Amino acid sequence: MEQKLHGKVALITGAAQGMGKDIARLLARQGAKIVMNDLNGEALQAAAEDIRRDGGEVIWVKADVSKREEVASMIDQATEAYSTIDILVNNAGLLRSTPFVDVEDEEWDLVMEVNLKSVYLSTKAVVPFMIAGGGGKIINMSSSAGRSVSTLGGAHYTTSKAAVLGLTRHLAKELASRNIRVNAVCPGLIDTEMVRKTCPPEQIAAYESSFPIQRLGTTREVADLVLFLASDDSSYITGASIDINGGDLMI
């Protein structure tokens, strides 16, 4: 079968585990050259080696994408290896569950920097390459929290993910004339390491029984949706926020 992303270059942030790892793996299997980013260098290297063993072409870059200078270095390394970037998946994220009355300024700023500022910095750095290359695809990972309120996270998490949706819509409108499509994915409860660490098994079971589709989503299901948005199959879609939550939130 023809690979949907043959010859494309895809940068995925927060790719050492969970959704980011499966997104990178699937995009590689569909022919993309992969740039994987994360703060966890050891896990990132192991994830990249898995892709290589599967026949994919990949480099990995340890960087804090909430820091401008580290994003610049990451983009330099990516474009030195592959010349351009055609697809950007802003997946890096941080979950904190602190009640609003207990949130300190430092924690608020940290969540905003990782969940929102990183999207701004990475997108701003990549867009010139997409313009020069005649177009591109940007997929921002928001959350059902961004469309309602968070199940597990605090007010800062909900706020950051809602802001990602606003940024997605504005960029979609502003960049459409440059043939750059910008969309957001809004996962509900997905079976990731972060969810399992945050939520005890009995609480997960209670959530599952409350969903119309009575289970957690899988990282592969999220990756399949990202692949659709990264490919030409979604060429007439921009500014969208697509839910993947088992029917938990119906808007």
Side-chain angles (χ1 to χ4, degrees):
M1 294 179 65
E2 183 180 356
Q3 294 175 311
K4 292 179 180 291
L5 304 179
H6 178 74
K8 301 294 185 181
V9 178
L11 167 60
I12 303 99
T13 68
Q17 62 180 5
M19 292 185 292
K21 182 178 178 179
D22 263 13
I23 290 166
R25 180 187 291 118
L26 181 59
L27 269 53
R29 287 175 177 169
Q30 287 295 321
K33 301 173 184 178
I34 303 297
V35 181
M36 300 178 75
N37 155 264
D38 206 279
L39 268 178
N40 187 335
E42 185 176 346
L44 186 60
Q45 183 176 10
E49 289 172 355
D50 284 345
I51 289 176
R52 289 195 187 101
R53 281 193 292 270
D54 199 32
E57 187 171 350
V58 59
I59 66 168
W60 60 274
V61 182
K62 180 181 177 181
D64 182 346
V65 287
S66 71
K67 302 290 190 292
R68 181 182 299 276
E69 63 277 6
E70 295 195 34
V71 169
S73 176
M74 174 180 70
I75 299 303
D76 285 346
Q77 293 177 66
T79 54
E80 182 178 350
Y82 297 133
S83 300
T84 193
I85 298 170
D86 304 294
I87 299 160
L88 171 63
V89 183
N90 283 305
N91 174 72
L94 180 71
L95 176 70
R96 291 289 185 272
S97 303
T98 310
F100 178 73
V101 295
D102 297 323
V103 173
E104 300 290 343
D105 289 354
E106 293 79 9
E107 182 175 308
W108 180 276
D109 291 344
L110 176 64
V111 172
M112 292 298 166
E113 287 175 2
V114 175
N115 291 355
L116 178 59
K117 187 178 181 182
S118 69
V119 178
Y120 158 70
L121 290 175
S122 296
T123 302
K124 189 172 178 66
V126 165
V127 161
F129 292 95
M130 292 184 172
I131 291 174
K137 297 291 186 74
I138 299 171
I139 300 101
N140 297 325
M141 300 302 294
S142 180
S143 168
S144 59
R147 292 167 64 77
S148 179
V149 295
S150 181
T151 302
L152 302 179
H156 37 6
Y157 183 81
T158 294
T159 302
S160 67
K161 292 302 186 179
V164 167
L165 295 182
L167 180 59
T168 298
R169 291 191 298 271
H170 189 95
L171 291 175
K173 184 174 182 179
E174 192 168 310
L175 297 174
S177 64
R178 302 287 194 163
N179 195 33
I180 298 172
R181 307 290 180 255
V182 189
N183 293 289
V185 173
C186 298
L189 273 186
I190 305 299
D191 194 356
T192 64
E193 295 91 335
M194 184 169 68
V195 168
R196 293 288 177 180
K197 288 178 181 178
T198 304
C199 204
E202 61 274 14
Q203 189 176 356
I204 289 177
Y207 284 133
E208 287 178 322
S209 65
S210 72
F211 301 153
I213 300 176
Q214 295 187 344
R215 62 174 175 84
L216 299 185
T218 70
T219 55
R220 175 56 192 263
E221 287 169 324
V222 176
D224 284 336
L225 177 53
V226 172
L227 171 62
F228 168 71
L229 293 173
S231 74
D232 289 340
D233 291 340
S234 61
S235 60
Y236 197 56
I237 300 175
T238 197
S241 53
I242 302 179
D243 293 327
I244 178 166
N245 56 35
D248 179 41
L249 176 66
M250 296 188 185
I251 295 179

